[in-house]
Structures are given as structure tokens and as C-alpha cells.
Amino acid sequence: MRNSRRNFIKKSGWATAAGMAAISLSPQAYAAENLHQDEALDRILKEPVLRIAELKDPVWIASVELLRREDNFLCRVRSKDGAEGISVSNNMQMIHLYPIFVNRIQPFFIGKDAREWESLLEEVYVYQSNYKLQNLAFWVPLATLEFAILDLLGKMADKSMGALLADTIYHPEISVYQANNYRGKSAEESIDLIEKHVRETEARALKFKVGGRMSHNKDYPPGRTEKLIPLVRQRFGENMVIYADSNGSYTADEAIRIGKIMEEYAYDFYEEPVPFDWYEETLQVSRAVNIPVAGGEQEPSMHGFRWLIKEDALDIVQPDIFYFGGMVRSMKVAKMAALKGKPCTPHISGSGLGYLYMMHFVSALVNAGPFHEFKGFNNEIPLDSPTSSLNSEGGKVTVPTGPGLGVTLDPDFVEQHRVVEG
């Protein structure tokens, strides 16, 4: 069996002629084309994302609070007019990063107009030299605040978070892929566990782990990956969409060798074949294998994404909306990808309500990939969701409607949290 990038992009249900065409250009025409792409990409980075024309008056931020109960963190923002927004953080990271939120982010936003969020993102990046913290250490706390701000703005504008990002909701339902991680188990053990979880969600796509995670070509246990790649296809049949995630396990040469095995079994994408900051090697693998190369989960830099997209090092972009600092920044990445005919399949991280935020983001993507990550919903956070079960039904999850996040956290649960001081 064989697969190709073209077949994958057709599966996603959209494409642009510019992104699909194989063009042979003279040196002069190539230079002109590159200049055109540079200008178009830069224009995307300058264009506003938020759709908040309904909000004619300033939304002055009166308070920003980080709330904690054991290892769970909430962010609550209030305007001077009494409007409120709330978010749940990526608790796996915030347990280590909350001092950055309290000392480097929270003070900057008091008294600011929340409608100016996009320009404030640029300013807070420079405030107290926060740019020196660039990576998830800075972006996770900032995304935590952004999701509370979007909840607040959405309630005031009577729009969902997705509708704040685009004029059209393209995906009121999200088709899911079941994510699995059974490194350390044999291929035979892994395949049985993968099948169990796929059947539970009725997903029509799945993703599993190959290699040993940033392991310099080691496999855990040895030989697992080469046994498992054909086994997954054989167990699920030719109609199942199959993704494989290496988490940067390989050197370029080994990544290409493993990718060629995936080609034989018609895999649909190959995620992070080499370490995430190996840009040139990612491009090398992308050119050598005939299945789409995906990545971006760990990418902290807008300029880094711009290079990966423009140079066609990635076929599918995967910004993590927590790790990359929120939906606004991630939407710019998705738009740059759309310019080049590439899908966006965002990564979701950690705990809390990450999957719910990802759903709202995907709902606004014209170039959303065909399936999106599902690890099961967090039932430890009590909330009311009148418009969605938040569960996979027939392989699809309905995006909640209503203003802001579209769900209400249990007030008693919120009250059990205490304000984190500096």
C-alpha cells in the first residue's frame, strides 16, 4: 500500500491550487515567487485575528486572579463593569510556572483594555524582558490568561470563542483520532491496548507512539516500532486513518528509514520524526518520505513556524494552543499554513480543559485537518455543558455553543480555590 501528501490533503476536504501545484520556475520567477510568499506571510502576521466589532466601548481589566486548589489552577478576570471570564490552566505545567504568571504577566494587564489583546500580546512579550522566557515557561501562563480573556469577551459580544476567531464556524463537530501511548510495552501488548481505546470512542482515526522519545534512535523495547507499524494496519484495515508520533526519536537517516516502512502501510502522517528544533533535518525527512510530516507541538517561535511553513519542512502544522501562547498566535500559524495549502491539526497538552479549548479553536479553522486529538475528557472538573456531551459519539464530538467557552464551571468548585499571591 502507498500513500502521498496529495491523498492526505484531499482527505482533509479542502485544498488550495497554490498549495497543491508542483511548479517548475526559472531562477527569476522563483525569486519573484519567494518574494510574493514573504509578503503574503508577513501580511498574515500583521492582520488582526479577533472579531470583536460589537464591543464599541473599552473593556477595562479591573482584576486578574490566579486561583489554586491543590494542583488545579484557574484564572479569573473581571472588567470594571463587572463582566467575568474564567479559564482552567494546563495544570501539569502551571504547577511549576505559576510564579511567572503572578510576577511577570498578571501585573501588566491590570487597567488595560481587553479589546486590545493582540497589541497587548506584543507589549507583554517585552515587559520585564519576558522574551527571555520564550517557550512554554512563558506561553502556558499567557495562554491561561488569554482563555479567560476570550471567555470574558465572548460573553460580552455574545459569541463563542471560535466565533471570536473567525467570521464563520467551519466545524460545529470535530472528528477525533484516538491518541495512544504504550511505549515500554511490546508490539503485541500495545496493539491490544490501542484497539481497546479506539473501540471505546468509535474513532475512525488513531495515533500511536513509535521510537523512544528524544532517544537517539533507541526503541523501547527494542524492535517494537518495526513490528507495530504493520501490525496496526493489519489489525484496523485499510480504511482506518493512522498517524504515528516519534516525539523526536530519530536522526534524519533513521527517521527516513522508519518513514519508508510507514509508506508501505499507507500511514497518513508522521509526527516529529526528528527533534523538534532540528529544522534542517525536518526538511530533509519531509523531502525524502512520501507521507505527510507533521510538527509544531514544541515550537515556541512565530518566526520559527514561518520558516517551517515557507520552506515546506512541515506538511501539517500542529501548534499547541497552550505551549504556543493561546489561540490568537496559533490562528496566525494556521493562516500561514492555509496560504501554502497545508492543514492545521493542533496538538493538545496536559490536563484541565485543553481539549475543550482545542475544539473551539478547530471550529474556526478553514484548513482544519480531518481528525483531531482525543485523549478522553477530564471529568474531574465539574461543569455544565447544555449543548454538548463532550464525549466522542460515533467518532465525533460536538463543540459547545453559547457565549465564551460555552460551559459553566460549578461555582462551588471555583469557590474552593484560593488566590495565589506573588
Side-chain angles (χ1 to χ4, degrees), residues 111-155:
K112 302 294 196 302
D113 182 356
R115 299 177 308 161
E116 303 298 325
W117 179 257
E118 294 182 62
S119 61
L120 293 174
L121 284 176
E122 301 296 326
E123 294 176 31
V124 75
Y125 183 59
V126 179
Y127 174 73
Q128 293 189 354
S129 297
N130 281 330
Y131 60 86
K132 296 180 184 292
L133 301 174
Q134 177 174 230
N135 214 308
L136 63 81
F138 181 66
W139 296 128
V140 168
L142 188 59
T144 300
L145 176 57
E146 178 176 284
F147 299 154
I149 291 288
L150 294 182
D151 188 45
L152 180 148
L153 294 176
K155 290 171 181 175

Side-chain angles (χ1 to χ4, degrees), residues 133-190:
L133 301 174
Q134 177 174 230
N135 214 308
L136 63 81
F138 181 66
W139 296 128
V140 168
L142 188 59
T144 300
L145 176 57
E146 178 176 284
F147 299 154
I149 291 288
L150 294 182
D151 188 45
L152 180 148
L153 294 176
K155 290 171 181 175
M156 295 185 69
D158 195 26
K159 287 183 171 183
S160 70
M161 285 186 173
L164 292 175
L165 302 173
D167 294 326
T168 301
I169 294 298
Y170 296 98
H171 307 284
E173 292 183 324
I174 309 297
S175 295
V176 302
Y177 69 78
Q178 179 64 50
N180 301 275
N181 179 14
Y182 300 114
R183 285 193 179 103
K185 297 183 183 297
S186 70
E188 292 78 12
E189 290 178 288
S190 297

Side-chain angles (χ1 to χ4, degrees), residues 2-56:
R2 304 285 292 180
N3 197 15
S4 68
R5 293 186 177 88
R6 176 170 295 219
N7 287 339
F8 174 84
I9 294 174
K10 283 184 177 178
K11 285 182 184 177
S12 73
W14 77 283
T16 65
M20 297 299 297
I23 305 170
S24 178
L25 299 173
S26 68
Q28 294 82 1
Y30 182 77
E33 177 70 13
N34 269 348
L35 178 61
H36 172 73
Q37 287 191 19
D38 282 335
E39 291 173 346
L41 291 168
D42 289 340
R43 186 167 58 251
I44 288 169
L45 294 180
K46 293 176 183 177
E47 290 174 350
V49 170
L50 292 178
R51 299 327 200 231
I52 51 173
E54 300 86 351
L55 302 179
K56 306 296 184 184

Side-chain angles (χ1 to χ4, degrees), residues 159-160 169 172 360 385-388 398-407:
K159 287 183 171 183
S160 70
I169 294 298
H360 279 288
S385 176
T387 59
S388 173
T398 299
V399 181
T401 57
L405 188 59
V407 306

Side-chain angles (χ1 to χ4, degrees), residues 1-8 255-256 259-264 266-270 284-293 315:
M1 290 186 284
R2 304 285 292 180
N3 197 15
S4 68
R5 293 186 177 88
R6 176 170 295 219
N7 287 339
F8 174 84
I256 291 168
K260 293 295 184 181
I261 300 173
M262 293 180 194
E263 284 181 21
E264 295 179 26
Y267 274 44
D268 294 270
F269 77 52
Y270 186 8
Q284 182 182 347
V285 175
S286 183
R287 287 174 172 171
V289 299
N290 199 33
I291 56 176
V293 169
D315 300 296

Side-chain angles (χ1 to χ4, degrees), residues 320-331:
D320 183 300
I321 57 175
F322 266 112
Y323 293 171
F324 195 63
M327 298 188 199
V328 169
R329 281 168 48 83
S330 297
M331 182 59 77

